[in-house]
Amino acid sequence: MATTVNPIDIQPRQVANKSDKRALLDAIRMTLKIQSPAVRHNTQTFNRNRYAAVAKIADYDQLKDHARQIKEQAIADSPRLLKQLEESVVRNGGHFYLAPSAFDADNYIRNVLVQHGVKLVVKGKSITSEEIRLNHWLEASGIQVAETDLAEFILQVADEQPSHIIAPALHYSRERITALFKRKFQTNLPLDTGEELTKFAREKLREQFIAADAGISGANLIAADTGSIMLVESEGNIRMTTTLPPLHIAIAGIEKVIPSREQFGTFLELLPASATGQPLTSYVSILHPPLKAPPFAAPGKQEKPREFHLVLIDNGRSRMREDPVLREALYCIRCSACLNSCANFETVGGHAFGGETYSGGIGGSWEAGTGELMNARFSELCTACSRCVNQCPVRIDIPWLNENLRQRMNQAQSPSFGRSLFGELAGSAPQDRIAPLQKQFFGNYDTFAKWGTTVAGPANSSLESPFFGSVMESVFGVDHRRELPKFPDKSWVDLYREEHRNGAAPQAGDRPALAVFADVFTNFGYPERGMAAIRVLRKCGYDVDLTPSVSDGRAALSQGMIDTARHHAEAMLKVLRPYLDSGRLLVVVEPSVLAMFRHDLCHLTEDQSLFETLRSISFEPMQLVWKAAQDFGLDLRSRFPAERWHHGARLFYHSHCQQRTCNAATETLDVLRACGFDVVTSSVECCGMAGSFGYKAEYYDLSMAVGEDLFAQVRKAEEGEPPRQLVASGISCSEQLSAGLKRPIHHPLEILDGIDR
Ligand code: SF4
Ligand code: SF4
């Protein structure tokens, strides 16, 4: 579907609006070719710093709860707060304008500037001004706009949209900025270091600050009780923008209003740490405009009294407030933690994983909320890996927002008889039969896996045929370069039943009784792994039973087929009920399914108390192995001695993204090390495969580019040393590692099971 345009000829603005899928695909190609190294370096630095910074906040979780509570209350109470804020601003001597639309905001600001005879305005720290295309509007009226934030200055020179919500030019390497400045300013000055570039920009901007007739700023937060504005920044330009010119206009979305100035403190603790990993940014301004300080008059200019206008922008936000899903996006404080912790974003940045203004996992909701639904198409790059969920300081469930956007985009398609018939045969819920064939194929994995396993021989022969591969690519968009997993002759449940028939099942142990959930991915894809789980848990003394295999809803949910996911989840809960009633703990081998029990199921079932029960009794198997050692004194070193594993004791272990989000990863490492293995671990957020994402032809290149970080970590761990055995907990991760490194991948349970004592 991608065009044949050479990626180096694609300008970011040409592909900013992703409502046409070709723009998204071109943007991916362009960013992979040009921007990826700078985006990777900068986002990963922010991300590392963020982990270090939040680890030092003693009451981090309580702070997040408190911030969430403030924002929930503020949005619920928004109409009253806006009235109160208006009174506060007027009482302070300022002007207040609530703009229903982008047009109204632009018009109001233009009129104020024209009335004051403004010819040059300095501006900074306002992504909202980008949303309303303010520069364009003012320049069309003959008013010059000078961006004063260094990154925004770079973008203005380059004529590009932001690629990141706090570091808008993060896609530029130092070398590219040098080349840009030399080309645009026709200068021979040395611009080869960060200092030289900053000095050059600063000298240009100083002239503008002194000459400007007005300053336009954004606002991180606004307090309704006092009319105070909080601004955090690194460069000091906002301080100059808001204090030097006599006329100051602050623009912000209505969601920035919170009840009181005292509440700024909570966000000041969270925002810089979540954004750049700083305990506090270099400049924090809490303004109470209009300023009372004497006005500044540049040489040769007449002194004018200070004047302040607060322009609050609705532009779809009230609609978002009424929307049960998009309302959550209004809690966002634009810290960018969700961008920097997202492996896909780290690889392509916001010029691909973003729209005309907003980017990253949260960006789709903002583009849809303030514009058109289809502008959020780039949210397809959200694989629901969940890595951003714990990083969000206001606890926004970003993957859930994106799954809903996907559902809405699916349902915006025109009906088709073929898709509907296919959906009926495959098992889609009636409302989801409108979804594209590719989504219905991946969303009904359980159906196809069941069919494939029933006729495993012929099905596997087909998988090897190039003709079948090209049919799968053209009909279902499955990339021909990916090897589809073979169907087993016997599913996990078949193997388990066979074991029982042969009387080989060991007697019940004296530890807690377990029900191992036969998830469809392990059941039809890796049944031997499932059996290894059962054997290892029994070796640890547990009484283990296997449930029937049913879909948990994960596959459908990830395709935005939420109704299908709900049907699957409800059916699964019926199957699990007797196991829960009998008091068994639930064990889940595949980490993405564990994430369903621990987290996503809350969206799919009305029975929240059942969800809470499941969340508290579901475990990754290695957690229970570790529990056997910790609580019951099992000596892992003698039970599973590393030196008896015939592949050696040196391992490279990659845990699954959702396993880490569920806090269910460290025990694997603990167990392997306790058994005597020498383990090096990966530190990537996600391997890039992410379930079906890496299989999709249009995203294969991105998926492999994301995986490159993981492959590089393996190579680095083996530099000058003999190779390590590769170990992964997730099916997707195994497939990605195998595709990238062409080596066998082991599961931790299979290692323990394979130890020959
Ligand atoms: S869920 Fe994963 S892919 Fe989606 S936005 Fe969050 S980190 Fe990115
Ligand atoms: S969604 Fe959360 S993590 Fe992402 S920018 Fe907003 S506040 Fe930050």
Side-chain angles (χ1 to χ4, degrees):
M1 193 180 283
T3 66
T4 52
V5 181
N6 189 331
I8 60 169
D9 294 328
I10 298 170
Q11 297 303 312
R13 279 225 190 265
Q14 293 170 341
V15 288
N17 183 314
K18 313 283 192 305
S19 53
D20 179 346
K21 189 157 185 175
R22 279 171 303 192
L24 172 61
L25 302 182
D26 278 343
I28 293 172
R29 293 193 304 125
M30 179 271 288
T31 49
L32 284 178
K33 179 83 185 168
I34 298 166
Q35 302 181 357
S36 193
V39 173
R40 264 196 165 104
H41 173 76
N42 291 322
T43 51
Q44 292 178 356
T45 304
F46 282 156
N47 198 34
R48 271 194 305 276
N49 293 346
R50 182 190 52 73
Y51 277 121
V54 300
K56 290 189 192 137
I57 303 177
D59 52 351
Y60 180 51
D61 277 317
Q62 292 93 307
L63 264 180
K64 291 204 289 187
D65 289 339
H66 192 213
R68 169 80 184 203
Q69 201 185 11
I70 294 171
K71 287 292 293 186
E72 278 185 9
Q73 185 201 344
I75 298 302
D77 213 11
S78 174
R80 189 188 66 76
L81 290 180
L82 292 177
K83 269 190 165 323
Q84 189 190 3
L85 176 61
E86 178 171 13
E87 286 162 18
S88 301
V89 170
V90 172
R91 190 173 57 240
N92 294 341
H95 302 262
F96 177 93
Y97 178 63
L98 178 57
S101 68
F103 171 81
D104 297 314
D106 286 329
N107 214 19
Y108 177 88
I109 296 166
R110 195 254 324 261
N111 290 346
V112 171
L113 296 177
V114 168
Q115 276 161 20
H116 284 75
V118 171
K119 293 277 172 277
L120 170 66
V121 59
V122 279
K123 181 162 91 56
K125 197 74 200 164
S126 174
I127 200 154
T128 317
S129 73
E130 190 73 29
E131 175 191 320
I132 62 173
R133 311 280 176 267
L134 182 63
N135 287 16
H136 174 76
W137 188 260
L138 296 183
E139 281 161 4
S141 306
I143 298 167
Q144 192 194 339
V145 183
E147 292 289 355
T148 63
D149 181 272
L150 179 59
E152 283 162 357
F153 174 72
I154 294 165
L155 293 185
Q156 191 175 32
V157 173
D159 188 23
E160 292 178 12
Q161 75 277 18
S163 68
H164 189 273
I165 55 179
I166 63 152
L170 149 149
H171 57 286
Y172 265 92
S173 61
R174 207 266 305 139
E175 290 76 11
R176 286 188 66 220
I177 302 171
T178 300
L180 172 75
F181 281 9
K182 291 217 169 208
R183 193 171 69 247
K184 291 283 180 165
F185 294 108
Q186 298 289 307
T187 175
N188 289 323
L189 287 170
L191 297 175
D192 299 319
T193 64
E195 290 73 33
E196 286 166 350
L197 284 166
T198 312
K199 183 165 177 283
F200 178 79
R202 188 188 298 131
E203 278 165 12
K204 294 236 162 290
L205 291 172
R206 277 275 149 84
E207 296 162 12
Q208 314 278 36
F209 279 124
I210 291 171
D213 311 296
I216 297 180
S217 75
N220 290 96
L221 287 171
I222 307 169
D225 60 346
T226 57
S228 307
I229 293 175
M230 182 179 104
L231 284 155
V232 296
E233 53 158 337
S234 307
E235 296 167 11
N237 57 310
I238 302 302
R239 213 162 254 194
M240 304 230 268
T241 301
T242 53
T243 55
L244 281 182
L247 173 61
H248 171 205
I249 302 175
I251 53 179
I254 55 173
E255 80 285 0
K256 296 288 181 73
V257 181
I258 60 171
S260 86
R261 188 170 57 171
E262 273 183 19
Q263 293 166 328
F264 285 172
T266 301
F267 296 95
L268 269 179
E269 283 195 75
L270 285 170
L271 184 57
S274 304
T276 52
Q278 293 167 286
L280 203 59
T281 45
S282 312
Y283 296 85
V284 176
S285 304
I286 296 181
L287 305 176
H288 199 59
L291 295 187
K292 309 297 175 286
F296 165 83
K301 281 205 167 188
Q302 205 189 342
E303 190 177 293
K304 291 186 184 163
R306 291 194 182 275
E307 187 171 315
F308 171 68
H309 293 252
L310 177 62
V311 180
L312 284 189
I313 296 164
D314 189 314
N315 199 33
R317 288 163 174 80
S318 292
R319 233 181 10 249
M320 289 169 78
R321 184 171 170 271
E322 299 305 319
D323 182 314
V325 176
L326 293 187
R327 181 187 184 104
E328 209 180 346
L330 294 173
Y331 306 151
C332 173
I333 58 169
R334 308 251 166 89
C335 71
S336 82
C338 59
L339 283 65
N340 305 326
S341 56
C342 173
N344 274 359
F345 191 93
E346 286 176 351
T347 307
V348 288
H351 280 176
F353 197 164
E356 291 183 282
T357 307
Y358 297 104
S359 51
I362 191 62
S365 299
W366 277 98
E367 288 285 334
T370 59
E372 304 287 324
L373 172 66
M374 284 303 174
N375 295 355
R377 191 190 288 279
F378 63 87
S379 62
E380 284 201 12
L381 299 196
C382 172
T383 62
C385 78
S386 80
R387 290 306 299 145
C388 56
V389 171
N390 292 346
Q391 326 308 339
C392 176
V394 281
R395 302 195 184 281
I396 297 177
D397 190 345
I398 295 155
W400 173 242
L401 296 186
N402 289 327
E403 282 148 1
N404 275 273
L405 288 173
R406 205 161 294 165
Q407 180 193 44
R408 292 175 191 190
M409 288 190 273
N410 286 346
Q411 291 179 349
Q413 306 248 332
S414 342
S416 130
F417 175 71
R419 271 186 272 127
S420 176
L421 180 65
F422 177 79
E424 192 170 347
L425 294 172
S428 302
Q431 301 87 329
D432 290 328
R433 290 178 194 160
I434 198 163
L437 286 182
Q438 186 191 51
K439 290 196 165 64
Q440 297 202 58
F441 172 72
F442 286 115
N444 289 299
Y445 168 79
D446 56 315
T447 304
F448 300 106
K450 209 175 297 165
W451 292 349
T453 306
T454 311
V455 285
N460 288 336
S461 308
S462 310
L463 291 180
E464 281 164 16
S465 124
F467 173 72
F468 183 77
S470 75
V471 171
M472 289 299 284
E473 183 161 308
S474 56
V475 179
F476 297 118
V478 180
D479 196 281
H480 66 278
R481 290 163 288 187
R482 285 283 181 198
E483 200 179 324
L484 287 163
K486 298 275 182 296
F487 297 107
D489 290 329
K490 288 176 187 163
S491 71
W492 182 10
V493 171
D494 293 337
L495 293 177
Y496 180 78
R497 286 191 187 137
E498 202 168 86
E499 185 195 58
H500 267 255
R501 272 199 303 274
N502 296 340
Q507 293 301 305
D510 54 359
R511 307 275 153 79
L514 310 178
V516 179
F517 178 61
D519 69 87
V520 291
F521 307 105
T522 311
N523 186 55
F524 297 117
Y526 293 81
E528 277 303 335
R529 174 177 303 178
M531 289 308 291
I534 289 172
R535 286 190 290 267
V536 167
L537 290 168
R538 283 183 174 152
K539 281 183 200 167
C540 293
Y542 292 104
D543 166 11
V544 185
D545 196 2
L546 184 68
T547 73
S549 182
V550 280
S551 171
D552 60 305
R554 158 70 55 207
L557 182 64
S558 67
Q559 308 304 319
M561 294 164 56
I562 296 177
D563 290 296
T564 307
R566 285 205 169 102
H567 289 183
H568 288 183
E570 291 298 350
M572 172 190 73
L573 290 174
K574 280 201 188 101
V575 168
L576 290 185
R577 181 73 78 172
Y579 295 91
L580 304 183
D581 290 346
S582 70
R584 285 179 182 263
L585 302 179
L586 197 66
V587 182
V588 188
V589 174
E590 173 52 29
S592 62
V593 179
L594 179 68
M596 173 59 75
F597 290 118
R598 292 260 184 106
H599 182 72
D600 303 285
L601 197 56
C602 71
H603 300 300
L604 303 182
T605 177
E606 310 230 312
D607 190 342
Q608 290 299 304
S609 92
L610 181 55
F611 161 65
E612 287 301 336
T613 305
L614 273 168
R615 164 195 245 177
S616 63
I617 59 148
S618 53
F619 296 92
E620 204 272 344
M622 295 294 263
Q623 289 191 288
L624 291 167
V625 176
W626 186 239
K627 187 177 167 58
Q630 296 300 297
D631 296 357
F632 307 116
L634 177 72
D635 180 356
L636 292 170
R637 188 78 183 90
S638 61
R639 193 78 189 81
F640 303 107
E643 54 279 6
R644 296 276 180 85
W645 191 49
H646 53 285
H647 292 292
R650 290 162 44 78
L651 310 178
F652 181 99
Y653 173 60
H654 170 69
S655 62
H656 186 277
C657 44
Q658 284 162 320
Q659 185 186 6
R660 270 172 284 138
T661 301
C662 293
N663 294 322
T666 54
E667 291 87 349
T668 300
L669 209 50
D670 293 334
V671 168
L672 291 172
R673 287 189 172 143
C675 295
F677 288 98
D678 163 15
V679 193
V680 172
T681 60
S682 68
S683 63
V684 296
E685 294 290 355
C686 173
C687 70
M689 186 71 187
S692 63
F693 184 79
Y695 280 108
K696 293 181 177 172
E698 64 270 40
Y699 302 131
Y700 172 83
D701 291 330
L702 169 56
S703 163
M704 291 306 285
V706 173
E708 194 45 51
D709 274 350
L710 176 58
F711 311 148
Q713 288 185 2
V714 174
R715 287 192 285 267
K716 189 152 191 300
E718 295 177 341
E719 248 166 30
E721 291 183 9
R724 290 174 176 271
Q725 294 299 319
L726 302 180
V727 186
S729 293
I731 291 176
S732 291
C733 318
S734 303
E735 287 167 354
Q736 180 76 324
L737 275 164
S738 166
L741 296 170
K742 313 278 181 244
R743 283 162 55 180
I745 317 297
H746 310 276
H747 190 279
L749 289 162
E750 289 166 328
I751 294 179
L752 298 195
D753 186 46
I755 287 177
D756 171 26
R757 292 193 66 248

